[in-house]
Coordinates of all heavy atoms in Angstrom, one line a residue:
M6 N 105.9 99.8 111.8 CA 104.8 100.6 111.3 C 105.2 101.0 109.8 O 106.3 101.3 109.5 CB 104.6 101.9 112.1 CG 103.5 102.7 111.6 SD 103.2 104.0 112.9 CE 103.4 105.5 111.8
D7 N 104.2 100.8 109.0 CA 104.4 101.1 107.5 C 104.5 102.6 107.4 O 103.5 103.4 107.7 CB 103.2 100.6 106.7 CG 103.4 100.7 105.3 OD1 104.2 101.6 104.8 OD2 102.9 99.8 104.5
P8 N 105.6 103.1 106.8 CA 105.7 104.6 106.6 C 104.7 105.2 105.7 O 104.6 106.4 105.7 CB 107.2 104.7 106.1 CG 107.5 103.4 105.5 CD 106.7 102.4 106.3
L9 N 104.1 104.3 104.9 CA 103.1 104.9 104.0 C 101.7 105.0 104.5 O 100.8 105.4 103.8 CB 103.1 104.0 102.7 CG 104.4 104.0 101.9 CD1 104.3 103.1 100.7 CD2 104.8 105.4 101.5
Q10 N 101.5 104.6 105.8 CA 100.2 104.8 106.4 C 99.7 106.2 106.3 O 100.5 107.1 106.4 CB 100.3 104.4 107.9 CG 100.3 103.0 108.2 CD 100.4 102.7 109.7 OE1 100.2 103.6 110.5 NE2 100.7 101.5 110.1
H11 N 98.5 106.3 106.0 CA 97.8 107.7 105.9 C 98.3 108.4 104.6 O 97.9 109.6 104.4 CB 98.1 108.5 107.1 CG 97.5 107.9 108.4 ND1 96.2 107.8 108.6 CD2 98.1 107.4 109.4 CE1 96.0 107.2 109.8 NE2 97.2 107.0 110.3
T12 N 99.0 107.7 103.7 CA 99.3 108.4 102.4 C 98.1 108.6 101.6 O 97.3 107.7 101.5 CB 100.3 107.5 101.6 OG1 101.5 107.4 102.4 CG2 100.6 108.1 100.3
K13 N 97.9 109.8 101.1 CA 96.7 110.1 100.4 C 97.0 109.7 98.9 O 98.0 110.0 98.3 CB 96.4 111.6 100.5 CG 96.0 111.9 102.0 CD 95.5 113.3 102.1 CE 95.1 113.6 103.5 NZ 94.3 112.6 104.2
L14 N 96.0 109.0 98.3 CA 96.2 108.5 97.0 C 95.3 109.2 95.9 O 95.4 108.9 94.8 CB 95.8 107.0 97.0 CG 96.6 106.1 98.0 CD1 96.1 104.7 98.0 CD2 98.1 106.2 97.7
G15 N 94.5 110.2 96.3 CA 93.7 110.9 95.4 C 92.2 110.9 95.8 O 91.8 110.2 96.7
Y16 N 91.5 111.7 95.2 CA 90.1 111.9 95.5 C 89.2 110.8 94.9 O 89.4 110.5 93.7 CB 89.5 113.2 95.1 CG 90.0 114.3 96.0 CD1 91.1 115.1 95.7 CD2 89.3 114.6 97.2 CE1 91.6 116.1 96.5 CE2 89.8 115.6 98.0 CZ 90.9 116.3 97.7 OH 91.4 117.3 98.6
A17 N 88.3 110.2 95.7 CA 87.5 109.1 95.2 C 86.7 109.6 94.0 O 86.4 108.8 93.1 CB 86.6 108.7 96.3
K18 N 86.3 110.8 94.0 CA 85.4 111.3 92.9 C 86.2 111.3 91.5 O 85.6 111.3 90.5 CB 84.8 112.7 93.2 CG 85.9 113.8 93.3 CD 85.3 115.1 93.5 CE 86.2 116.2 93.7 NZ 87.3 116.4 92.7
D19 N 87.5 111.3 91.6 CA 88.3 111.3 90.4 C 88.5 109.9 89.8 O 89.2 109.8 88.8 CB 89.6 112.0 90.6 CG 89.5 113.5 91.0 OD1 88.4 114.1 90.6 OD2 90.3 114.0 91.7
L20 N 88.1 108.9 90.6 CA 88.3 107.5 90.1 C 87.1 107.1 89.3 O 85.9 107.2 89.8 CB 88.5 106.6 91.2 CG 89.7 106.8 92.1 CD1 89.7 105.9 93.3 CD2 91.0 106.5 91.3
P21 N 87.2 106.6 88.1 CA 86.1 106.2 87.3 C 85.5 104.9 87.9 O 86.2 104.0 88.2 CB 86.6 106.0 85.9 CG 88.1 105.8 86.1 CD 88.5 106.5 87.4
M22 N 84.1 104.9 88.0 CA 83.5 103.7 88.5 C 83.7 102.5 87.5 O 83.6 102.6 86.3 CB 82.0 104.0 88.6 CG 81.1 102.8 89.1 SD 81.6 102.3 90.8 CE 81.0 103.7 91.8
G23 N 84.0 101.3 88.1 CA 84.2 100.2 87.3 C 85.5 100.2 86.5 O 85.7 99.5 85.5
D24 N 86.4 101.0 87.0 CA 87.7 101.1 86.3 C 88.8 101.2 87.3 O 88.6 101.1 88.5 CB 87.7 102.4 85.4 CG 88.6 102.2 84.2 OD1 89.4 101.3 84.2 OD2 88.5 103.0 83.3
M25 N 90.0 101.3 86.8 CA 91.2 101.3 87.7 C 92.2 102.4 87.3 O 92.1 102.9 86.2 CB 91.9 100.0 87.7 CG 92.2 99.4 86.3 SD 92.6 97.7 86.4 CE 92.9 97.4 84.7
K26 N 93.0 102.7 88.3 CA 93.9 103.8 88.1 C 95.2 103.5 88.9 O 95.1 103.1 90.1 CB 93.3 105.1 88.6 CG 94.2 106.3 88.5 CD 93.5 107.6 88.9 CE 94.4 108.8 88.7 NZ 93.7 110.0 89.3
V27 N 96.3 103.7 88.4 CA 97.6 103.5 89.1 C 98.0 104.8 89.7 O 98.0 105.9 89.1 CB 98.7 103.0 88.1 CG1 100.0 102.9 88.9 CG2 98.3 101.7 87.5
V28 N 98.4 104.7 91.0 CA 98.9 105.9 91.7 C 100.2 105.5 92.4 O 100.5 104.3 92.6 CB 97.9 106.4 92.8 CG1 96.7 106.9 92.1 CG2 97.6 105.3 93.8
K29 N 101.1 106.5 92.7 CA 102.3 106.2 93.4 C 102.2 106.5 94.9 O 101.5 107.5 95.3 CB 103.4 107.2 92.8 CG 103.8 106.8 91.4 CD 105.3 106.4 91.4 CE 105.7 106.1 90.0 NZ 107.0 105.3 90.0
A30 N 102.8 105.7 95.7 CA 102.9 106.0 97.1 C 104.3 105.6 97.5 O 104.7 104.4 97.6 CB 101.9 105.1 97.9
G31 N 105.1 106.6 97.8 CA 106.5 106.4 98.0 C 107.1 105.8 96.8 O 107.0 106.2 95.7
D32 N 107.8 104.6 97.0 CA 108.4 103.9 95.9 C 107.5 102.8 95.4 O 107.9 102.0 94.6 CB 109.8 103.4 96.3 CG 109.7 102.4 97.5 OD1 108.6 102.2 98.0 OD2 110.8 101.8 97.8
R33 N 106.3 102.8 95.8 CA 105.4 101.7 95.4 C 104.4 102.3 94.3 O 104.1 103.5 94.3 CB 104.5 101.2 96.5 CG 105.4 100.5 97.6 CD 104.5 99.9 98.7 NE 105.2 100.0 99.9 CZ 104.7 99.7 101.1 NH1 103.4 99.4 101.2 NH2 105.4 99.9 102.2
E34 N 103.9 101.3 93.5 CA 102.8 101.7 92.6 C 101.6 100.9 93.1 O 101.7 99.7 93.3 CB 103.1 101.2 91.2 CG 104.1 102.1 90.5 CD 104.4 101.8 89.0 OE1 103.5 101.2 88.4 OE2 105.4 102.2 88.5
I35 N 100.5 101.6 93.3 CA 99.3 101.0 93.8 C 98.2 101.1 92.8 O 98.0 102.2 92.2 CB 98.9 101.6 95.1 CG1 100.0 101.4 96.2 CG2 97.5 101.1 95.6 CD1 99.8 102.0 97.5
L36 N 97.5 100.0 92.6 CA 96.4 100.0 91.6 C 95.1 100.2 92.4 O 94.8 99.3 93.2 CB 96.4 98.6 90.9 CG 95.4 98.5 89.8 CD1 95.6 99.4 88.7 CD2 95.4 97.0 89.3
L37 N 94.4 101.3 92.1 CA 93.1 101.5 92.7 C 92.0 101.0 91.8 O 92.1 101.3 90.6 CB 93.0 103.0 93.0 CG 93.9 103.6 94.1 CD1 93.6 105.1 94.2 CD2 93.7 102.9 95.4
V38 N 91.1 100.4 92.4 CA 89.9 99.9 91.6 C 88.7 100.3 92.3 O 88.5 100.1 93.5 CB 89.9 98.3 91.5 CG1 88.8 97.8 90.6 CG2 91.3 97.8 90.9
K39 N 87.8 101.0 91.5 CA 86.6 101.5 92.1 C 85.4 100.7 91.6 O 85.1 100.7 90.4 CB 86.4 103.0 91.7 CG 85.2 103.6 92.4 CD 85.2 105.1 92.1 CE 84.1 105.9 92.8 NZ 84.1 107.3 92.4
L40 N 84.8 100.0 92.5 CA 83.6 99.2 92.2 C 82.4 99.7 93.0 O 82.6 100.5 93.9 CB 83.8 97.7 92.5 CG 85.1 97.0 91.9 CD1 85.2 95.6 92.4 CD2 84.9 97.0 90.4
E41 N 81.2 99.3 92.6 CA 80.0 99.7 93.4 C 80.2 99.4 94.8 O 79.7 100.1 95.7 CB 78.8 98.9 92.8 CG 78.4 99.3 91.4 CD 77.7 100.7 91.4 OE1 77.4 101.3 92.4 OE2 77.6 101.2 90.2
A42 N 80.9 98.3 95.2 CA 81.0 97.8 96.5 C 82.0 98.6 97.3 O 82.1 98.5 98.5 CB 81.3 96.3 96.6
G43 N 82.9 99.4 96.6 CA 83.9 100.1 97.3 C 85.2 100.3 96.5 O 85.2 100.0 95.3
I44 N 86.2 100.9 97.1 CA 87.4 101.1 96.4 C 88.5 100.2 97.0 O 88.6 100.0 98.2 CB 87.9 102.6 96.7 CG1 86.9 103.5 96.0 CG2 89.3 102.8 96.1 CD1 87.1 105.0 96.3
Y45 N 89.2 99.5 96.1 CA 90.2 98.5 96.5 C 91.5 98.9 96.0 O 91.7 99.6 95.0 CB 89.7 97.1 96.0 CG 88.4 96.8 96.5 CD1 87.2 97.1 95.7 CD2 88.2 96.2 97.7 CE1 86.0 96.8 96.2 CE2 87.0 96.0 98.3 CZ 85.8 96.2 97.5 OH 84.6 96.0 98.0
A46 N 92.6 98.4 96.7 CA 93.9 98.8 96.3 C 94.8 97.5 96.4 O 94.8 96.7 97.3 CB 94.5 99.8 97.3
L47 N 95.5 97.3 95.3 CA 96.4 96.2 95.2 C 97.8 96.7 94.7 O 97.9 97.8 94.1 CB 96.0 95.2 94.1 CG 94.6 94.7 94.2 CD1 93.6 95.4 93.3 CD2 94.6 93.2 93.7
D48 N 98.8 95.9 95.0 CA 100.1 96.2 94.4 C 100.0 96.1 92.9 O 99.3 95.2 92.4 CB 101.2 95.2 95.0 CG 102.6 95.8 94.7 OD1 103.1 95.5 93.7 OD2 103.1 96.4 95.6
N49 N 100.7 97.0 92.2 CA 100.5 97.1 90.8 C 101.3 96.0 90.1 O 101.1 95.7 88.9 CB 100.9 98.5 90.2 CG 100.5 98.7 88.8 OD1 99.4 98.1 88.4 ND2 101.2 99.4 88.1
F50 N 102.3 95.4 90.8 CA 103.2 94.5 90.1 C 102.8 93.0 90.4 O 102.8 92.5 91.5 CB 104.6 94.7 90.5 CG 105.2 96.0 90.1 CD1 105.2 97.1 91.0 CD2 105.6 96.2 88.8 CE1 105.6 98.3 90.6 CE2 106.0 97.5 88.4 CZ 106.1 98.5 89.3
C51 N 102.4 92.3 89.3 CA 101.9 90.9 89.4 C 102.9 90.0 90.1 O 104.1 90.1 89.9 CB 101.7 90.4 88.0 SG 101.1 88.7 87.9
T52 N 102.4 89.2 91.0 CA 103.3 88.3 91.8 C 103.9 87.2 90.9 O 104.8 86.5 91.4 CB 102.5 87.6 92.9 OG1 101.4 86.9 92.4 CG2 102.0 88.6 94.0
H53 N 103.4 87.0 89.7 CA 103.9 86.0 88.9 C 105.3 86.4 88.3 O 106.3 85.8 88.5 CB 103.0 85.6 87.8 CG 103.6 84.6 86.8 ND1 103.8 84.9 85.5 CD2 104.1 83.3 87.0 CE1 104.4 83.8 84.9 NE2 104.6 82.9 85.8
G54 N 105.2 87.5 87.5 CA 106.4 87.9 86.8 C 106.7 89.4 86.9 O 107.6 89.9 86.2
G55 N 105.9 90.1 87.6 CA 106.2 91.5 87.8 C 105.6 92.5 86.8 O 105.9 93.7 86.8
C56 N 104.7 91.9 85.9 CA 104.1 92.9 85.0 C 103.1 93.8 85.7 O 102.6 93.5 86.8 CB 103.3 92.1 83.9 SG 104.4 91.3 82.7
R57 N 102.9 94.9 85.1 CA 102.0 95.9 85.8 C 100.5 95.4 85.5 O 100.0 95.4 84.4 CB 102.2 97.3 85.2 CG 103.5 97.9 85.7 CD 103.7 99.3 85.2 NE 104.6 100.1 85.9 CZ 105.9 100.1 85.7 NH1 106.4 99.3 84.7 NH2 106.7 100.8 86.4
L58 N 99.8 95.2 86.6 CA 98.4 94.8 86.5 C 97.5 96.0 86.0 O 96.5 95.7 85.5 CB 97.9 94.4 87.9 CG 98.3 93.0 88.4 CD1 97.6 92.7 89.7 CD2 98.0 91.9 87.4
G59 N 98.0 97.2 86.1 CA 97.3 98.3 85.5 C 97.1 98.2 84.0 O 96.2 98.9 83.5
Y60 N 97.9 97.4 83.4 CA 97.7 97.2 81.9 C 96.8 96.0 81.7 O 96.5 95.7 80.5 CB 99.1 96.9 81.3 CG 100.0 98.1 81.3 CD1 101.4 97.9 81.6 CD2 99.6 99.4 81.0 CE1 102.3 98.9 81.6 CE2 100.5 100.4 81.0 CZ 101.8 100.2 81.3 OH 102.7 101.2 81.3
G61 N 96.4 95.4 82.8 CA 95.5 94.2 82.6 C 94.1 94.5 82.4 O 93.7 95.7 82.1
K62 N 93.3 93.5 82.4 CA 91.9 93.6 82.1 C 91.0 93.4 83.3 O 91.1 92.4 83.9 CB 91.5 92.6 81.0 CG 90.1 92.8 80.4 CD 90.0 92.0 79.1 CE 88.7 92.0 78.5 NZ 87.8 93.0 78.7
L63 N 90.2 94.4 83.6 CA 89.3 94.3 84.8 C 88.0 93.7 84.3 O 87.4 94.2 83.3 CB 89.1 95.7 85.3 CG 88.2 95.8 86.6 CD1 88.9 95.2 87.8 CD2 87.9 97.3 86.9
E64 N 87.6 92.7 84.9 CA 86.3 92.0 84.6 C 85.5 91.8 85.9 O 85.8 90.9 86.6 CB 86.6 90.7 83.9 CG 87.4 90.8 82.6 CD 88.0 89.5 82.1 OE1 88.4 88.7 82.9 OE2 88.0 89.3 80.9
G65 N 84.6 92.7 86.1 CA 83.9 92.7 87.4 C 84.8 92.8 88.6 O 85.5 93.8 88.7
E66 N 84.9 91.8 89.4 CA 85.8 91.9 90.6 C 87.1 91.1 90.4 O 87.7 90.8 91.3 CB 85.0 91.3 91.8 CG 83.9 92.2 92.3 CD 83.3 91.8 93.6 OE1 83.7 90.8 94.2 OE2 82.5 92.6 94.1
T67 N 87.4 90.9 89.2 CA 88.7 90.2 88.9 C 89.5 91.0 87.9 O 89.0 91.8 87.1 CB 88.4 88.8 88.2 OG1 87.9 88.9 86.9 CG2 87.5 87.9 89.1
I68 N 90.8 90.8 88.0 CA 91.7 91.4 87.1 C 92.6 90.4 86.5 O 93.1 89.5 87.2 CB 92.5 92.5 87.8 CG1 93.4 93.3 86.7 CG2 93.3 92.0 88.9 CD1 93.9 94.6 87.2
R69 N 92.8 90.4 85.2 CA 93.6 89.5 84.4 C 94.9 90.1 84.0 O 94.8 91.2 83.3 CB 92.8 89.0 83.2 CG 93.6 88.0 82.3 CD 92.7 87.6 81.1 NE 91.5 86.9 81.6 CZ 91.3 85.6 81.8 NH1 92.4 84.8 81.8 NH2 90.2 85.2 82.2
C70 N 96.0 89.6 84.4 CA 97.3 90.1 84.0 C 97.5 89.9 82.5 O 97.3 88.8 82.0 CB 98.4 89.4 84.8 SG 100.0 90.1 84.4
L71 N 97.9 90.9 81.8 CA 98.1 90.8 80.3 C 99.2 89.9 79.9 O 99.3 89.4 78.8 CB 98.2 92.2 79.7 CG 97.0 92.9 79.3 CD1 97.3 94.1 78.4 CD2 95.9 92.0 78.7
C72 N 100.2 89.8 80.8 CA 101.4 89.1 80.4 C 101.2 87.6 80.2 O 101.5 87.0 79.2 CB 102.6 89.3 81.4 SG 103.3 91.0 81.3
H73 N 100.7 86.9 81.2 CA 100.5 85.4 81.1 C 99.1 85.0 81.5 O 98.9 83.8 81.7 CB 101.6 84.7 81.9 CG 103.0 85.2 81.7 ND1 103.6 86.1 82.6 CD2 103.8 85.1 80.7 CE1 104.8 86.4 82.2 NE2 104.9 85.8 81.0
G74 N 98.2 85.9 81.8 CA 96.8 85.5 82.0 C 96.4 85.2 83.4 O 95.3 84.7 83.6
S75 N 97.3 85.4 84.4 CA 96.8 85.1 85.8 C 95.7 86.0 86.2 O 95.6 87.2 85.7 CB 98.0 85.4 86.8 OG 99.0 84.5 86.6
V76 N 94.8 85.4 87.0 CA 93.6 86.2 87.4 C 93.5 86.3 88.9 O 93.8 85.3 89.6 CB 92.3 85.4 86.9 CG1 91.0 86.2 87.3 CG2 92.3 85.3 85.3
F77 N 93.3 87.5 89.4 CA 93.2 87.8 90.8 C 91.9 88.4 91.2 O 91.3 89.1 90.4 CB 94.3 88.8 91.2 CG 95.7 88.3 90.8 CD1 96.3 88.7 89.6 CD2 96.4 87.5 91.7 CE1 97.6 88.3 89.3 CE2 97.7 87.1 91.4 CZ 98.3 87.5 90.2
N78 N 91.5 88.1 92.4 CA 90.3 88.8 93.0 C 90.7 90.2 93.4 O 91.7 90.3 94.2 CB 89.8 87.9 94.2 CG 88.6 88.6 94.8 OD1 88.6 89.7 95.2 ND2 87.5 87.8 94.9
V79 N 90.0 91.2 92.9 CA 90.4 92.5 93.2 C 90.3 92.8 94.7 O 91.1 93.6 95.3 CB 89.5 93.5 92.4 CG1 89.6 94.9 92.9 CG2 89.9 93.4 91.0
R80 N 89.3 92.2 95.4 CA 89.0 92.6 96.8 C 90.0 91.9 97.7 O 90.4 92.5 98.7 CB 87.6 92.2 97.1 CG 86.6 92.9 96.3 CD 85.2 92.3 96.5 NE 84.7 92.6 97.8 CZ 83.4 92.9 98.0 NH1 82.5 92.9 97.0 NH2 82.9 93.1 99.2
T81 N 90.4 90.7 97.4 CA 91.3 89.9 98.3 C 92.7 89.6 97.8 O 93.5 89.2 98.6 CB 90.6 88.6 98.6 OG1 90.6 87.8 97.4 CG2 89.2 88.7 99.1
G82 N 92.9 89.8 96.5 CA 94.2 89.4 95.9 C 94.3 88.0 95.7 O 95.4 87.5 95.1
E83 N 93.3 87.2 96.0 CA 93.4 85.7 95.8 C 93.6 85.4 94.3 O 93.1 86.0 93.4 CB 92.0 85.1 96.3 CG 91.9 83.6 96.1 CD 90.5 83.1 96.4 OE1 89.6 83.9 96.7 OE2 90.3 81.9 96.2
V84 N 94.4 84.3 94.1 CA 94.7 83.8 92.8 C 93.5 83.0 92.4 O 93.1 82.0 93.0 CB 96.0 83.0 92.7 CG1 96.2 82.4 91.3 CG2 97.2 83.8 93.2
L85 N 92.9 83.4 91.3 CA 91.7 82.6 90.7 C 92.1 81.8 89.5 O 91.4 81.0 89.1 CB 90.6 83.6 90.4 CG 90.0 84.4 91.6 CD1 89.0 85.4 91.1 CD2 89.5 83.5 92.7
G86 N 93.3 82.2 88.9 CA 93.7 81.4 87.8 C 95.2 81.7 87.6 O 95.7 82.8 87.8
G87 N 96.0 80.6 87.3 CA 97.4 80.7 87.2 C 97.8 81.3 85.9 O 97.0 81.8 85.1
P88 N 99.1 81.4 85.7 CA 100.2 80.7 86.4 C 100.6 81.2 87.7 O 101.4 80.6 88.4 CB 101.4 80.8 85.4 CG 101.2 82.0 84.7 CD 99.7 82.1 84.5
A89 N 100.2 82.4 88.2 CA 100.5 82.9 89.5 C 100.1 81.9 90.6 O 99.1 81.3 90.5 CB 99.9 84.3 89.7
T90 N 100.9 81.8 91.6 CA 100.6 81.0 92.7 C 100.5 81.8 94.0 O 99.9 81.3 95.0 CB 101.7 79.8 92.9 OG1 102.9 80.5 93.1 CG2 101.7 78.9 91.7
R91 N 101.1 82.9 94.0 CA 101.0 83.8 95.2 C 100.0 84.9 95.1 O 99.9 85.5 94.0 CB 102.4 84.4 95.5 CG 103.4 83.4 96.0 CD 104.8 84.1 96.2 NE 105.3 84.6 95.0 CZ 105.8 85.8 94.8 NH1 105.8 86.7 95.7 NH2 106.3 86.1 93.6
P92 N 99.2 85.1 96.1 CA 98.2 86.1 96.0 C 98.8 87.5 95.8 O 99.9 87.8 96.2 CB 97.4 86.0 97.4 CG 98.3 85.3 98.3 CD 99.2 84.4 97.4
Q93 N 98.0 88.3 95.2 CA 98.4 89.7 95.0 C 98.3 90.5 96.3 O 97.2 90.5 96.9 CB 97.6 90.3 93.9 CG 98.1 91.6 93.3 CD 99.4 91.4 92.6 OE1 99.8 90.3 92.2 NE2 100.1 92.5 92.5
P94 N 99.4 91.2 96.7 CA 99.2 92.0 97.9 C 98.1 93.1 97.8 O 98.0 93.7 96.7 CB 100.6 92.7 98.1 CG 101.5 91.8 97.3 CD 100.7 91.3 96.2
T95 N 97.4 93.2 98.8 CA 96.3 94.3 98.8 C 96.6 95.3 100.0 O 97.4 95.0 100.9 CB 94.9 93.7 99.0 OG1 94.9 93.0 100.3 CG2 94.6 92.7 97.9
Y96 N 96.0 96.4 99.9 CA 96.1 97.4 100.9 C 94.7 97.8 101.3 O 93.8 97.9 100.5 CB 96.8 98.7 100.3 CG 98.2 98.4 99.8 CD1 98.4 98.2 98.5 CD2 99.3 98.5 100.6 CE1 99.7 97.9 97.9 CE2 100.6 98.3 100.1 CZ 100.8 98.0 98.8 OH 102.0 97.7 98.3
N97 N 94.6 98.1 102.6 CA 93.4 98.6 103.1 C 93.3 100.2 102.9 O 94.3 100.8 103.2 CB 93.2 98.4 104.6 CG 93.0 96.9 104.9 OD1 92.3 96.2 104.1 ND2 93.6 96.4 106.0
V98 N 92.2 100.6 102.4 CA 92.1 102.1 102.2 C 90.9 102.5 102.9 O 89.9 101.8 103.0 CB 92.1 102.4 100.7 CG1 93.4 102.2 100.0 CG2 91.0 101.7 99.9
I99 N 90.9 103.8 103.3 CA 89.8 104.4 103.9 C 89.5 105.7 103.2 O 90.4 106.3 102.5 CB 90.0 104.7 105.4 CG1 91.3 105.4 105.7 CG2 90.0 103.3 106.2 CD1 91.5 105.8 107.1
L100 N 88.4 106.3 103.4 CA 88.1 107.6 102.8 C 88.1 108.6 103.9 O 87.5 108.5 105.0 CB 86.7 107.6 102.2 CG 86.5 107.0 100.8 CD1 85.1 107.1 100.3 CD2 87.5 107.6 99.8
E101 N 89.0 109.6 103.7 CA 89.1 110.8 104.6 C 88.8 112.0 103.9 O 89.6 112.4 103.0 CB 90.5 110.8 105.3 CG 90.7 109.7 106.3 CD 92.1 109.8 106.9 OE1 93.0 110.5 106.3 OE2 92.3 109.2 108.0
D102 N 87.6 112.6 104.2 CA 87.2 113.9 103.5 C 87.3 113.7 102.0 O 87.7 114.5 101.2 CB 88.1 115.0 103.9 CG 88.1 115.4 105.4 OD1 87.0 115.2 105.9 OD2 89.1 115.7 105.9
G103 N 86.8 112.5 101.5 CA 86.7 112.3 100.1 C 88.0 111.8 99.5 O 88.0 111.5 98.3
E104 N 89.0 111.7 100.3 CA 90.3 111.2 99.7 C 90.6 109.8 100.1 O 90.4 109.4 101.2 CB 91.5 112.1 100.2 CG 91.6 113.4 99.6 CD 92.9 114.1 99.9 OE1 92.9 114.8 100.9 OE2 93.9 114.0 99.1
V105 N 91.0 109.0 99.1 CA 91.4 107.7 99.4 C 92.7 107.7 100.1 O 93.7 108.3 99.6 CB 91.5 106.9 98.0 CG1 91.9 105.4 98.3 CG2 90.2 107.0 97.2
T106 N 92.8 107.0 101.2 CA 94.0 107.1 102.1 C 94.4 105.7 102.5 O 93.5 104.9 102.8 CB 93.6 107.9 103.3 OG1 93.1 109.2 102.9 CG2 94.8 108.1 104.2
L107 N 95.7 105.4 102.5 CA 96.1 104.1 103.0 C 95.9 104.0 104.5 O 96.3 104.8 105.3 CB 97.6 103.9 102.7 CG 98.0 103.6 101.3 CD1 99.5 103.5 101.2 CD2 97.4 102.2 100.8
A108 N 95.2 102.9 104.8 CA 94.8 102.7 106.2 C 95.9 102.2 107.1 O 96.8 101.5 106.5 CB 93.6 101.8 106.3
P109 N 95.9 102.4 108.3 CA 96.9 101.9 109.2 C 96.8 100.3 109.3 O 95.8 99.8 109.0 CB 96.7 102.5 110.6 CG 95.5 103.4 110.5 CD 95.0 103.3 109.1
Ligands
FES91 S1 103.5 88.5 85.1 FE1 101.3 88.4 85.5 S2 100.7 86.5 84.8 FE2 102.9 86.5 84.5

């Protein structure tokens, strides 16, 4: 069982629509992205070389890593453009009383 299950990551109302925010959960950094379709959570460290995706560029449902230009789907973590070859880890989040919470 993931010890970070049910970790609260902040209030949904504090996340800007169409933008992203980095939060800490234990020793991890999680990138929250709020879109019209929902709130998504990815690991903040790019699978290519470890750069922080939070410094990247959000373009609709994709995020481009600033270091070497890899592009990931925000919702699924799928690699849409290299050089990254491994998908970006994602986390399921749920809303509990308005708070974004890591799902079991
Ligand atoms: S570290 Fe992200 S593309 Fe290289």
